[in-house]
Amino acid sequence: MFKTNNINKNDYILAIETSCDDTSVAIYSPTHYDVVTISSAKEQSNFGGVVPELASRRHENNLLLALEKLFKKNKINFNNIQKIAYTCCPGLKVCVNMGKIFAETLSFLHKKPIIPINHIHAHLFSFALNNKIEYPFIGLVASGGHTSIYYVKSIKEILLLNETIDDAIGEVYDKVGRKFNLKYPCGPAIDELYNKDKNNISFINKKIKSEDAFSFSGLKSQVINYINKNSNCDMVEVLSSFQKTIINIVVNKIKYYSNLYKTKNIVIGGGVAANNLLREELNDQQFNLKLPIKSICGDNALMIALLAYLSNI
Ligand code: KG4
Ligand code: ZN
């Protein structure tokens, strides 16, 4: 899926990503890149969320399998690798450590320089795989663990403007979806069943100030209470109304920071950046919008390799 032409086989960055429930390895060079991801999300769905110890054991089993598959598929070996990048933070400690030890061992054995990469910054720059970077930009990272907005002046000047004080947006999608017994992660299912004509319930009644920090736990409680009190409620109506509300909050915040920082350059990243309504609503604004391809919105090692590459040119 990620293959490109003009393969130069000797200048790849190899990247390892294990911050949550996906074991992902990737190679990147400007002319060719590829990624192999083995996810334990299906297994985790039996528990309604990620169990760190289980995810960590899956990384232990799957890292070498994923690497062997990646090398075999691309007919390469360590002679073709220049540097090794890995997710160093943030993430589930037992999971991050598994990737770190793997990367450090490979680096030691094969005498390759090692590059620690911040997972959130990698989400933030994932749009750059298929878009030109134009500084400064306002960037949203919306995932299962984070909801943050940044003002980015350069790859080394990343200013945090806003972040959630409680639940992350993806976490709220997962918790609300779980009330209707949707399988974890619930974001894609809610996105899929969204119906704009069924967005009839108004969940937020207090005014949200533009400059306030993100806070989603109030909305989450309102939606969950509504479901508890209305046992015969229409799932599509509740979830469409929820999605419209939460996406509006995010889009309004981006509009606010775009005005404040006087830039129309907007980028998004993270699992929730795959959301169709978010993409549509941002597209409707007068933004210079850069979207990552959907398959690299969620956790993946390709974004880690890409940021390692961008940081060193
Ligand atoms: O970036 P990611 O793979 O992992 C973290 O770093 O957290 O994000 C996973 C989150 C999950 O909460 C999932 O429900 C949400 O992203 N998600 C979505 C969509 N696809 C994934 N949320 C809304 N709409 C989507 N299409
Ligand atoms: Zn992530």
Side-chain angles (χ1 to χ4, degrees):
M1 164 179 39
F2 286 114
K3 294 215 168 140
T4 48
N5 298 323
N6 307 324
I7 300 174
N8 179 353
K9 281 204 158 186
N10 289 311
D11 57 359
Y12 289 117
I13 292 178
L14 169 69
I16 321 273
E17 151 64 39
T18 59
S19 66
C20 192
D21 54 354
D22 294 312
T23 311
S24 187
V25 295
I27 45 165
Y28 178 86
S29 80
T31 51
H32 176 76
Y33 44 82
D34 198 10
V35 59
V36 170
T37 302
I38 304 175
S39 177
S40 68
K42 220 170 168 188
E43 201 180 349
Q44 306 280 357
S45 73
N46 299 325
F47 305 95
V50 179
V51 180
E53 179 61 25
L54 177 63
S56 162
R57 286 182 198 195
R58 293 299 166 262
H59 293 316
E60 188 185 354
N61 291 339
N62 291 336
L63 270 166
L64 208 48
L65 288 177
L67 185 66
E68 279 169 356
K69 191 170 169 193
L70 180 73
F71 276 15
K72 208 169 160 193
K73 224 175 126 194
N74 291 279
K75 300 188 179 63
I76 56 166
N77 58 45
F78 273 97
N79 292 331
N80 307 113
I81 303 298
Q82 243 186 21
K83 297 170 186 169
I84 299 174
Y86 70 98
T87 300
C88 64
C89 63
L92 302 170
K93 195 79 186 146
V94 284
C95 294
V96 170
N97 280 350
M98 202 57 80
K100 178 174 190 262
I101 292 165
F102 189 64
E104 284 177 348
T105 307
L106 294 178
S107 149
F108 177 77
L109 279 176
H110 298 284
K111 301 188 175 43
K112 308 285 176 187
I114 193 155
I115 316 168
I117 293 289
N118 179 299
H119 177 92
I120 306 295
H121 293 174
H123 274 306
L124 187 61
F125 279 88
S126 59
F127 74 95
L129 189 71
N130 56 320
N131 289 285
K132 193 171 165 280
I133 306 177
E134 288 176 81
Y135 295 111
F137 63 80
I138 299 287
L140 166 80
V141 176
S143 73
H146 303 273
T147 313
S148 322
I149 295 185
Y150 299 88
Y151 179 63
V152 184
K153 283 204 269 183
S154 76
I155 205 141
K156 294 198 169 74
E157 295 167 285
I158 302 173
L159 181 69
L160 177 67
L161 301 178
N162 198 312
E163 67 182 333
T164 178
I165 52 166
D166 40 55
D167 297 33
I169 180 166
E171 193 183 345
V172 181
Y173 266 91
D174 296 335
K175 287 179 177 163
V176 165
R178 206 166 135 189
K179 287 299 288 177
F180 287 111
N181 294 321
L182 299 180
K183 282 232 149 180
Y184 169 86
C186 308
I190 297 177
D191 187 12
E192 193 61 32
L193 54 76
Y194 176 77
N195 180 341
K196 67 176 178 4
D197 300 322
K198 286 212 158 193
N199 155 36
N200 304 322
I201 310 166
S202 40
F203 281 119
I204 291 277
N205 36 32
K206 87 170 185 17
K207 173 116 181 64
I208 298 171
K209 289 201 206 110
S210 307
E211 66 275 21
D212 283 353
F214 281 122
S215 167
F216 297 114
S217 69
L219 173 62
K220 176 190 69 183
S221 303
Q222 275 189 41
V223 179
I224 289 177
N225 289 341
Y226 183 93
I227 301 167
N228 287 341
K229 280 189 197 145
N230 300 276
S231 50
N232 290 326
C233 62
D234 175 346
M235 177 177 80
V236 175
E237 185 178 49
V238 174
L239 293 179
S240 298
S241 307
F242 154 71
Q243 165 151 295
K244 181 74 179 168
T245 309
I246 205 159
I247 294 298
N248 269 353
I249 295 172
V250 173
V251 172
N252 284 339
K253 218 54 118 190
I254 293 175
K255 274 158 69 178
Y256 169 73
Y257 286 111
S258 163
N259 285 334
L260 194 65
Y261 283 85
K262 299 185 175 39
T263 176
K264 297 279 180 198
N265 297 336
I266 305 294
V267 317
I268 59 174
V272 184
N275 185 272
N276 289 307
L277 183 65
L278 175 64
R279 287 170 173 242
E280 270 167 38
E281 300 266 319
L282 289 174
N283 251 325
D284 288 347
Q285 312 296 324
Q286 301 294 312
F287 289 145
N288 176 24
L289 180 65
K290 311 228 168 162
L291 300 169
I293 50 177
K294 284 192 179 179
S295 55
I296 67 153
C297 286
D299 289 347
N300 69 89
L302 188 51
M303 66 180 189
I304 304 299
L306 177 64
L307 185 55
Y309 171 78
L310 294 171
S311 307
N312 282 280
I313 48 175

